[in-house]
Coordinates of all heavy atoms in Angstrom, one line a residue:
T1 N 52.0 8.6 63.6 CA 53.1 9.1 62.7 C 53.7 10.4 63.3 O 54.9 10.5 63.2 CB 52.4 9.4 61.3 OG1 51.8 8.2 60.8 CG2 53.5 9.9 60.4
R2 N 52.9 11.3 63.8 CA 53.4 12.5 64.4 C 54.3 12.2 65.6 O 55.3 12.8 65.8 CB 52.2 13.4 64.9 CG 51.5 14.0 63.7 CD 50.4 14.9 64.2 NE 49.7 15.5 63.1 CZ 48.6 16.3 63.3 NH1 48.1 16.4 64.5 NH2 48.0 16.8 62.2
S3 N 53.9 11.2 66.4 CA 54.7 10.8 67.5 C 56.0 10.3 67.1 O 57.1 10.6 67.7 CB 53.9 9.8 68.4 OG 54.7 9.4 69.5
L4 N 56.0 9.4 66.1 CA 57.3 8.9 65.6 C 58.2 10.0 65.0 O 59.4 10.0 65.2 CB 57.0 7.8 64.5 CG 56.4 6.5 65.1 CD1 56.0 5.6 63.9 CD2 57.4 5.8 66.0
S5 N 57.6 10.9 64.3 CA 58.4 12.0 63.7 C 59.0 12.8 64.8 O 60.2 13.2 64.7 CB 57.5 12.9 62.9 OG 56.9 12.1 61.8
R6 N 58.3 13.1 65.9 CA 58.8 13.9 67.0 C 59.9 13.1 67.7 O 61.0 13.7 68.0 CB 57.7 14.2 68.0 CG 58.1 15.2 69.1 CD 57.0 15.5 70.0 NE 55.8 16.1 69.4 CZ 54.7 15.4 69.3 NH1 54.5 14.2 69.8 NH2 53.7 16.0 68.7
A7 N 59.8 11.8 67.8 CA 60.8 11.0 68.4 C 62.0 11.0 67.5 O 63.2 11.0 68.0 CB 60.3 9.6 68.6
D8 N 61.8 10.9 66.2 CA 63.0 10.9 65.3 C 63.7 12.2 65.4 O 65.0 12.3 65.4 CB 62.5 10.7 63.8 CG 62.0 9.3 63.6 OD1 62.4 8.4 64.4 OD2 61.2 9.1 62.6
I9 N 63.0 13.3 65.4 CA 63.7 14.6 65.6 C 64.5 14.7 66.9 O 65.6 15.2 66.9 CB 62.6 15.8 65.5 CG1 62.0 15.8 64.1 CG2 63.3 17.1 65.8 CD1 60.8 16.8 64.0
Q10 N 63.9 14.3 67.9 CA 64.6 14.3 69.2 C 65.8 13.4 69.2 O 66.9 13.8 69.7 CB 63.6 13.9 70.3 CG 62.5 14.8 70.6 CD 61.5 14.3 71.6 OE1 61.5 13.1 72.0 NE2 60.7 15.2 72.2
A11 N 65.7 12.3 68.5 CA 66.9 11.4 68.4 C 68.0 12.0 67.6 O 69.2 11.9 67.9 CB 66.5 10.1 67.8
Q12 N 67.6 12.7 66.5 CA 68.6 13.4 65.7 C 69.3 14.5 66.5 O 70.5 14.7 66.4 CB 67.9 14.0 64.4 CG 67.5 12.9 63.4 CD 66.8 13.4 62.2 OE1 66.7 14.7 62.1 NE2 66.3 12.6 61.4
V13 N 68.5 15.3 67.3 CA 69.0 16.4 68.1 C 70.0 15.8 69.1 O 71.1 16.4 69.2 CB 67.9 17.1 68.8 CG1 68.5 18.1 69.8 CG2 67.1 17.9 67.8
R14 N 69.7 14.7 69.7 CA 70.6 14.1 70.7 C 71.9 13.6 70.0 O 73.0 13.8 70.5 CB 69.9 12.9 71.4 CG 68.9 13.4 72.5 CD 68.5 12.2 73.4 NE 67.9 11.1 72.6 CZ 66.6 11.0 72.4 NH1 65.8 11.9 73.0 NH2 66.1 10.0 71.8
A15 N 71.7 13.0 68.8 CA 72.9 12.5 68.1 C 73.8 13.7 67.7 O 75.0 13.6 67.8 CB 72.4 11.8 66.8
R16 N 73.2 14.8 67.2 CA 74.1 15.9 66.8 C 74.8 16.5 68.0 O 75.9 16.9 68.0 CB 73.2 17.0 66.2 CG 72.6 16.6 64.9 CD 73.6 16.5 63.8 NE 73.0 16.1 62.5 CZ 72.8 14.9 62.0 NH1 73.2 13.9 62.8 NH2 72.3 14.7 60.9
K17 N 74.0 16.6 69.2 CA 74.6 17.1 70.4 C 75.8 16.2 70.8 O 76.9 16.7 71.3 CB 73.6 17.2 71.5 CG 74.1 17.9 72.8 CD 73.1 18.0 73.8 CE 73.6 18.7 75.1 NZ 74.7 18.0 75.7
E18 N 75.6 14.9 70.8 CA 76.7 14.0 71.2 C 77.9 14.2 70.2 O 79.1 14.1 70.7 CB 76.2 12.6 71.1 CG 75.2 12.2 72.2 CD 74.6 10.8 72.1 OE1 75.0 10.2 71.1 OE2 73.8 10.4 72.9
Q19 N 77.7 14.3 68.9 CA 78.7 14.5 68.0 C 79.5 15.8 68.3 O 80.7 15.9 68.3 CB 78.2 14.5 66.6 CG 77.7 13.2 66.1 CD 77.1 13.3 64.7 OE1 77.0 14.4 64.1 NE2 76.7 12.2 64.1
F20 N 78.7 16.9 68.6 CA 79.3 18.2 68.9 C 80.1 18.1 70.2 O 81.3 18.6 70.2 CB 78.2 19.2 69.1 CG 78.8 20.6 69.5 CD1 79.3 21.5 68.6 CD2 78.7 21.0 70.8 CE1 79.8 22.7 69.0 CE2 79.2 22.2 71.2 CZ 79.7 23.1 70.3
D21 N 79.6 17.4 71.2 CA 80.3 17.3 72.5 C 81.6 16.5 72.3 O 82.6 16.8 72.9 CB 79.4 16.6 73.5 CG 78.3 17.5 74.0 OD1 78.4 18.7 73.8 OD2 77.3 17.0 74.5
E22 N 81.5 15.4 71.5 CA 82.7 14.6 71.2 C 83.8 15.4 70.5 O 84.9 15.3 70.8 CB 82.3 13.4 70.4 CG 83.5 12.4 70.1 CD 83.0 11.2 69.3 OE1 81.8 11.1 69.0 OE2 83.9 10.4 68.9
A23 N 83.3 16.2 69.5 CA 84.3 17.0 68.8 C 84.9 18.1 69.7 O 86.1 18.4 69.6 CB 83.6 17.7 67.6
N24 N 84.1 18.7 70.5 CA 84.6 19.7 71.4 C 85.5 19.1 72.5 O 86.6 19.7 72.8 CB 83.4 20.3 72.2 CG 83.8 21.6 72.9 OD1 84.6 22.4 72.4 ND2 83.2 21.8 74.1
E25 N 85.3 17.9 72.9 CA 86.2 17.2 73.9 C 87.5 16.9 73.2 O 88.6 17.1 73.8 CB 85.6 15.9 74.4 CG 84.4 16.2 75.3 CD 83.8 14.8 75.8 OE1 84.3 13.8 75.3 OE2 82.8 14.9 76.5
K26 N 87.5 16.5 71.9 CA 88.8 16.3 71.2 C 89.6 17.5 71.1 O 90.8 17.5 71.3 CB 88.5 15.7 69.8 CG 87.9 14.2 69.9 CD 87.7 13.7 68.5 CE 87.2 12.3 68.5 NZ 86.9 11.7 67.2
M27 N 88.9 18.7 70.7 CA 89.6 19.9 70.6 C 90.2 20.4 71.9 O 91.2 21.0 72.0 CB 88.7 21.0 69.9 CG 88.5 20.7 68.4 SD 87.6 22.1 67.7 CE 85.9 21.9 68.4
T28 N 89.4 20.2 73.0 CA 89.8 20.6 74.3 C 91.0 19.8 74.7 O 92.0 20.3 75.3 CB 88.7 20.4 75.3 OG1 87.6 21.2 74.9 CG2 89.1 20.8 76.7
A29 N 91.0 18.5 74.4 CA 92.2 17.6 74.7 C 93.4 18.1 74.0 O 94.6 18.1 74.5 CB 91.9 16.2 74.4
R30 N 93.3 18.5 72.7 CA 94.4 18.9 71.9 C 94.9 20.3 72.3 O 96.1 20.5 72.3 CB 94.1 18.8 70.4 CG 93.8 17.4 69.9 CD 93.5 17.4 68.4 NE 94.7 17.9 67.7 CZ 94.7 18.1 66.3 NH1 93.6 17.9 65.7 NH2 95.8 18.4 65.7
S31 N 94.0 21.2 72.5 CA 94.4 22.6 72.8 C 94.6 22.9 74.2 O 95.2 23.9 74.6 CB 93.3 23.5 72.2 OG 92.1 23.3 72.9
G32 N 94.0 22.1 75.1 CA 94.1 22.4 76.5 C 93.1 23.3 77.1 O 93.2 23.8 78.2
R33 N 92.1 23.7 76.3 CA 91.0 24.6 76.8 C 89.7 24.3 76.0 O 89.8 23.8 74.9 CB 91.4 26.0 76.7 CG 91.8 26.5 75.3 CD 92.2 27.9 75.2 NE 92.7 28.4 73.9 CZ 93.0 29.6 73.6 NH1 92.9 30.5 74.5 NH2 93.4 29.9 72.4
N34 N 88.6 24.7 76.7 CA 87.3 24.6 76.0 C 87.2 25.6 74.9 O 87.0 26.8 75.2 CB 86.2 24.8 77.1 CG 84.8 24.5 76.5 OD1 84.5 24.9 75.4 ND2 84.1 23.7 77.3
L35 N 87.3 25.2 73.7 CA 87.4 26.1 72.6 C 86.2 26.9 72.4 O 86.2 28.1 72.1 CB 87.7 25.3 71.3 CG 88.1 26.1 70.0 CD1 89.3 27.0 70.3 CD2 88.3 25.2 68.8
L36 N 85.0 26.3 72.5 CA 83.7 27.1 72.3 C 83.6 28.2 73.3 O 83.3 29.4 73.0 CB 82.5 26.2 72.4 CG 81.2 26.8 72.2 CD1 81.1 27.4 70.9 CD2 80.1 25.8 72.4
S37 N 83.8 27.9 74.6 CA 83.8 28.9 75.6 C 84.8 30.0 75.4 O 84.6 31.2 75.6 CB 83.9 28.3 77.0 OG 82.9 27.4 77.3
A38 N 86.0 29.6 75.0 CA 87.1 30.5 74.8 C 86.7 31.5 73.7 O 87.0 32.7 73.8 CB 88.4 29.8 74.4
I39 N 86.2 31.0 72.6 CA 85.8 31.8 71.5 C 84.7 32.8 71.9 O 84.8 34.0 71.6 CB 85.3 31.0 70.3 CG1 86.5 30.2 69.7 CG2 84.7 31.9 69.2 CD1 86.2 29.2 68.6
L40 N 83.7 32.3 72.5 CA 82.6 33.2 72.9 C 83.0 34.3 73.8 O 82.7 35.5 73.6 CB 81.5 32.4 73.6 CG 80.7 31.4 72.7 CD1 79.7 30.6 73.6 CD2 79.9 32.2 71.6
I41 N 83.8 34.0 74.9 CA 84.3 35.0 75.8 C 85.3 35.9 75.1 O 85.3 37.2 75.3 CB 85.0 34.3 77.0 CG1 83.9 33.6 77.8 CG2 85.7 35.4 77.9 CD1 84.5 32.8 79.0
G42 N 86.1 35.4 74.2 CA 87.1 36.2 73.4 C 86.4 37.2 72.6 O 86.8 38.4 72.5
V43 N 85.3 36.8 71.9 CA 84.5 37.7 71.1 C 83.9 38.8 71.9 O 83.9 40.0 71.5 CB 83.4 36.9 70.3 CG1 82.4 37.9 69.6 CG2 84.1 36.0 69.3
V44 N 83.3 38.5 73.1 CA 82.7 39.5 73.9 C 83.7 40.5 74.4 O 83.5 41.7 74.3 CB 82.0 38.8 75.1 CG1 81.5 39.9 76.1 CG2 80.8 38.0 74.7
L45 N 84.9 40.0 74.9 CA 85.9 40.9 75.4 C 86.4 41.8 74.2 O 86.7 43.0 74.4 CB 87.1 40.1 76.0 CG 86.8 39.4 77.3 CD1 88.0 38.6 77.7 CD2 86.4 40.5 78.4

């Protein structure tokens, strides 16, 4: 049961990461730049 739970959590993490990457790619395509990196660097500067 613990093994299955850990596997489920890992699968959910991968799924969320894929969704985030897909959303980030769409925003990058529309805006012409990596929005996440742009925001982080902009905040630091």
Side-chain angles (χ1 to χ4, degrees):
T1 302
R2 288 180 180 175
S3 179
L4 289 175
S5 298
R6 190 179 301 113
D8 290 340
I9 293 173
Q10 291 175 347
Q12 290 178 4
V13 170
R14 284 195 298 269
R16 295 291 183 271
K17 185 179 184 302
E18 289 175 358
Q19 291 175 356
F20 176 81
D21 291 341
E22 183 180 354
N24 193 38
E25 287 177 3
K26 288 181 179 179
M27 287 188 291
T28 300
R30 294 181 65 184
S31 63
R33 57 181 174 175
N34 188 314
L35 189 59
L36 180 60
S37 297
I39 291 174
L40 290 176
I41 292 175
V43 169
V44 172
L45 290 177

